[in-house]
Amino acid sequence: MRSGPQVLVFPSYRDNPFLNLLQLAPRADGFRVQAAHTYDDLVSQAAALETGDVVHLHWTTPILQQAKTAGDASRRLDQMDALIRQLCTRGVRLVWTVHNRLPHELAFRDLEIRLMQLVADSADTIHIMAPHTPDALADIVQLNPQRIRVIPHPSYEGVYDSALTRDDARDAFELAKRDRAVLFLGQIRPYKGVDALVSAASAASDARGDDLVLMLGGAVKEITRDEFSASLPSSLRTIAHLEFVPDADIARWFRSADVAVFPYRAILNSGSVHLAATFHVPVILPGDPRLRAQFGDERWVRFFDTERPAESIAELLAEDELFSDVDGADFERFLAPISPWDISRDYAALLRELTADSPAALSA
């Protein structure tokens, strides 16, 4: 394998499928992908980068929001300003992938906005996955349109077990054929609106005559597991695995589901939508105008009213013919342009452009 420029990825999570998929083609092309796990790793490893190397910043949360005090966060911001200036002087490229409007854990909001603007102003490329991203951030951060590159979120084709049948998956959960299985999979946190989904599922179950089953898979954050369990109505049929769902079991949950609901109060990008589509599971999303513009033409997507989430989701879940006209071809049309390898090749092409003048540059 050829040896090319270094790409320092921060924060790098070994078990994050998005990062692993994105890096497939660059690694195959000879880019030397390095992982910085913590803020201190980023600072120390960036010092070794040379002209034409790349820092790829993903989530900004570990930089300031994991500081112990406001004073510590302010010092980190100054340190990042100096670090970015040094990298620019040395000819190191900076890529920023915008994952969220703001971090979900937000202790130092004003400092975070200053950091995001610093990164936006300094980045050679701002990678966005949804066209509405600049508009969604416009009231907090200005993104230079000349530096923006749109590379969509990939599907998860080939990542998870595809041999498991729907019948076997549902049998494992003791679901009857007539049951409507409503899935939420992911961390259970306040901003994700799972409380509204629980209320909606309970109301829809009453309306439908007890054929609805709510499936909840994911660790509970910011409240205790016991507190959350106590909030589940005893009359609602619930399958709850309130801890991390391992990758080996993801397929069983999605193959079992009739619909996945993402009742988020705040959302910019959601890999969960692409994961559901990969398993051909229809989804219900917030009726945000930007999401409607992005997914409104997809027959496997319905939207709830964000002004009355619990009631609106309940109305959708109670529909007898919900998604009855959706078939596999609807999902395949969406998935065809966003296979992991195609998206990773687009990312590799971006890296080649940025590092074309590097002493270790790779030819196409």
Side-chain angles (χ1 to χ4, degrees):
M1 179 181 293
R2 297 169 295 171
S3 180
Q6 294 188 77
V7 181
L8 179 61
V9 177
F10 173 80
S12 181
Y13 304 119
R14 294 186 182 90
D15 60 351
N16 185 291
F18 170 82
L19 293 178
N20 292 333
L21 292 176
L22 201 63
Q23 294 164 14
L24 289 172
R27 290 182 183 276
D29 281 353
F31 284 96
R32 293 172 290 159
V33 180
Q34 309 295 330
H37 303 293
T38 68
Y39 172 70
D40 289 340
D41 291 341
L42 171 64
V43 173
S44 61
Q45 291 177 239
L49 298 178
E50 302 175 346
T51 299
D53 289 336
V54 177
V55 171
H56 190 151
L57 175 62
H58 285 271
W59 299 271
T60 58
T61 301
I63 298 175
L64 303 186
Q65 301 309 317
Q66 293 180 1
K68 294 181 180 179
T69 66
D72 186 24
S74 183
R75 284 189 291 274
R76 285 188 175 199
L77 178 58
D78 291 341
Q79 189 176 21
M80 281 298 299
D81 189 1
L83 175 62
I84 289 173
R85 291 175 186 275
Q86 292 167 11
L87 293 173
C88 180
T89 300
R90 296 208 308 270
V92 177
R93 306 302 188 185
L94 176 63
V95 178
W96 178 32
T97 293
V98 184
H99 287 272
N100 302 308
R101 178 177 144 83
L102 283 167
H104 303 307
E105 302 86 4
L106 195 57
F108 312 112
R109 187 179 192 277
D110 291 344
L111 291 174
E112 184 68 30
I113 291 173
R114 287 171 56 189
L115 171 65
M116 292 172 67
Q117 192 64 66
L118 168 65
V119 174
D121 291 341
S122 306
D124 296 276
T125 298
I126 301 170
H127 166 215
I128 65 174
M129 291 177 277
H132 62 251
T133 298
D135 181 53
L137 271 65
D139 63 324
I140 54 172
V141 176
Q142 299 300 309
L143 304 182
N144 185 337
Q146 295 182 332
R147 298 181 184 178
I148 290 175
R149 176 70 69 88
V150 181
I151 301 177
H153 195 295
S155 74
Y156 290 93
E157 180 184 3
V159 176
Y160 300 103
D161 178 17
S162 59
L164 184 67
T165 68
R166 174 174 168 82
D167 287 344
D168 287 345
R170 287 175 71 90
D171 286 347
F173 285 114
E174 299 182 352
L175 292 168
K177 289 187 180 298
R178 65 181 289 272
D179 288 336
R180 172 171 288 179
V182 178
L183 174 65
F184 177 88
L185 191 143
Q187 289 187 349
I188 298 172
R189 304 171 65 183
Y191 83 90
K192 293 191 175 183
V194 179
D195 55 339
L197 173 57
V198 171
S199 296
S202 181
S205 177
D206 292 342
R208 291 184 57 82
D210 200 35
D211 70 344
L212 188 145
V213 181
L214 179 61
M215 303 179 67
L216 300 171
V220 180
K221 301 291 185 180
E222 297 164 60
I223 63 172
T224 69
R225 189 186 307 176
D226 288 344
E227 286 178 293
F228 179 76
S229 295
S231 72
L232 300 175
S234 58
S235 60
L236 175 62
R237 295 171 60 198
T238 306
I239 297 170
H241 177 82
L242 302 181
E243 54 188 77
F244 176 75
V245 176
D247 287 351
D249 205 28
I250 293 290
R252 186 168 68 103
W253 286 80
F254 275 97
R255 293 287 187 209
S256 300
D258 294 291
V259 57
V261 183
F262 303 109
Y264 300 156
R265 296 188 175 96
I267 180 175
L268 181 61
N269 303 289
S270 177
S272 298
V273 175
H274 293 72
L275 183 56
T278 302
F279 284 103
H280 291 195
V281 176
V283 303
I284 296 175
L285 295 177
D288 177 280
R290 301 181 187 97
L291 291 178
R292 288 183 183 274
Q294 184 178 5
F295 295 107
D297 292 336
E298 304 298 340
R299 297 187 339 138
W300 50 274
V301 178
R302 296 283 295 274
F303 299 95
F304 66 85
D305 183 350
T306 56
E307 296 297 318
R308 42 190 293 275
E311 297 87 347
S312 180
I313 295 171
E315 291 163 2
L316 290 168
L317 294 180
E319 290 183 15
D320 286 335
E321 302 301 319
L322 181 65
F323 296 116
S324 61
D325 60 342
V326 173
D327 60 29
D330 295 312
F331 293 99
E332 291 305 320
R333 280 190 293 271
F334 173 77
L335 296 168
I338 57 170
S339 74
W341 183 246
D342 287 339
I343 297 302
S344 183
R345 286 196 301 180
D346 288 345
Y347 173 55
L350 167 62
L351 293 178
R352 285 197 297 271
E353 292 174 22
L354 288 174
T355 61
D357 297 331
S358 165
L362 297 162
S363 59

